[in-house]
Amino acid sequence: MGRYICSAVHSFLFFTILYCASCATITVNVYFPAEEVREAYSNLEEEFLKQDTKGESGAEKKQPDTTKPVSTPAPQSMRKYPDKPVLTSEKKYLVIIKEFNLDFSEYAWAQGNIAQQITQKIRSMPDVIQAYKSRSQRLSEINQMLSSGLVVEGSQGLLIQKGAMTPQQTQAFNAENADRQIIIRGMAKAIVEINNIEPTPENIDKVLPEAARQFASVRQSER
């Protein structure tokens, strides 16, 4: 009888521990290299928005002066990253086992130029590249709207309307913001991936606000 009770107690304790473990949460660190993200955004805009050497009228644009010295960025090993993660997300333990790669022994930024890695990842996203190309087609119109004060650059990477617009301008405004949302989401996905985390919609949404702020920072610096 005593042996039966002891066995029952052991079984109860085992399943209690197993249940608690399944309900436990674990914090997954997501590092957000803001400087490199801004650099990647700038590189992509330079490549896809400013690569044409001819304007809409067919006139040749002025080529950049390649004789000017180009500043060399600090070596990757000299850049400082936060001791603590900028962003965190919590997941149930069993879900993490299925969806996450928990081997964080080698982060992406330990393997080379982060901005270049981010740029390469985004180049492999057809929807993001198409969004950049679509933006390039309306770049002149959007710049004119910005210059005239009809719209301004918002803090979340989207344009904000400030004045009355024609139907054509409204169409361009809406299309521009739609393309920007695709680009920002692509950046968030790239950041999740270089953290070796599964790019699920929920994980991407965790990074999306910061990706939007950095896009806004780049756009505002251009004005």
Side-chain angles (χ1 to χ4, degrees), residues 52-63:
D52 293 335
T53 58
K54 292 185 178 181
E56 295 178 358
S57 63
E60 192 78 15
K61 288 185 179 180
K62 183 179 179 181
Q63 294 291 337

Side-chain angles (χ1 to χ4, degrees), residues 118-136:
I118 296 171
T119 303
Q120 286 298 110
K121 281 187 174 293
I122 291 180
R123 284 200 190 104
S124 68
M125 303 177 186
D127 58 332
V128 178
I129 299 307
Q130 183 56 51
Y132 271 113
K133 291 181 177 180
S134 296
R135 287 183 62 209
S136 70

Side-chain angles (χ1 to χ4, degrees), residues 38-175:
R38 290 193 298 272
E39 182 180 342
Y41 274 136
S42 296
N43 291 342
L44 289 162
E45 294 215 347
E46 185 71 26
E47 179 177 354
F48 293 106
L49 266 63
K50 305 174 184 179
Q51 64 180 348
D52 293 335
T53 58
K54 292 185 178 181
E56 295 178 358
S57 63
E60 192 78 15
K61 288 185 179 180
K62 183 179 179 181
Q63 294 291 337
D65 185 359
T66 57
T67 61
K68 294 181 180 179
V70 179
S71 58
T72 303
Q76 194 74 21
S77 59
M78 297 295 291
R79 293 180 178 174
K80 296 184 180 298
Y81 294 96
D83 294 330
K84 295 182 179 180
V86 178
L87 303 174
T88 60
S89 61
E90 291 188 350
K91 276 291 190 180
K92 287 186 179 298
Y93 178 77
L94 291 181
V95 175
I96 288 180
I97 290 296
K98 288 165 47 179
E99 295 187 357
F100 282 61
N101 177 358
L102 295 178
D103 181 11
F104 294 142
S105 59
E106 292 187 7
Y107 283 92
W109 41 86
Q111 302 170 8
N113 186 293
I114 305 173
Q116 187 177 47
Q117 290 182 59
I118 296 171
T119 303
Q120 286 298 110
K121 281 187 174 293
I122 291 180
R123 284 200 190 104
S124 68
M125 303 177 186
D127 58 332
V128 178
I129 299 307
Q130 183 56 51
Y132 271 113
K133 291 181 177 180
S134 296
R135 287 183 62 209
S136 70
Q137 298 301 313
R138 72 179 77 91
L139 185 61
S140 177
E141 185 176 8
I142 294 299
N143 285 341
Q144 186 176 13
M145 292 166 64
L146 285 163
S147 298
S148 62
L150 290 179
V151 297
V152 296
E153 294 286 355
S155 61
Q156 296 302 310
L158 303 182
L159 295 175
I160 298 175
Q161 183 176 348
K162 289 295 184 179
M165 297 188 294
T166 66
Q168 180 179 343
Q169 289 171 330
T170 300
Q171 183 179 7
F173 170 83
N174 291 334

